[in-house]
Amino acid sequence: LAAVALELTVNGAVAERALGHEVLGTPAASVAWLANKLAELGLALEAGMRVMSGSFTRQYLLAAGDRIEARFASVGTVAAEFV
């Protein structure tokens, strides 16, 4: 995961490029941090829970009509269009 490359476009223009290692070295480290933090609080990750591992990029303020697309090399593409 650390080597996964991302290209993020907003309204067709490249907004940012990043690598998975920008999420605490690897997205898996982010999930491990969460599990350890929960354990300190007497809680745990449980089967079936959905966990976000962090973000490769900053957040973007989007408005109606905007389209954002994230292309993760060797993983796939996800896109959203706001109406």
Side-chain angles (χ1 to χ4, degrees):
L1 293 174
V4 172
L6 163 73
E7 180 178 83
L8 185 79
T9 62
V10 177
N11 298 324
V14 175
E16 202 165 347
R17 290 185 175 95
L19 295 172
H21 74 80
E22 296 183 52
V23 185
L24 292 179
T26 175
S30 178
V31 174
W33 176 89
L34 175 61
N36 290 330
K37 192 59 158 175
L38 288 172
E40 288 175 16
L41 301 171
L43 303 169
L45 291 176
E46 297 179 17
M49 286 183 161
R50 294 184 178 148
V51 177
M52 285 189 61
S53 63
S55 179
F56 284 41
T57 67
R58 67 178 182 86
Q59 296 178 347
Y60 287 82
L61 183 61
L62 301 170
D66 285 342
R67 176 180 168 78
I68 190 165
E69 184 173 293
R71 293 183 201 113
F72 296 89
S74 74
V75 176
T77 299
V78 62
E81 195 165 329
F82 298 85
V83 294

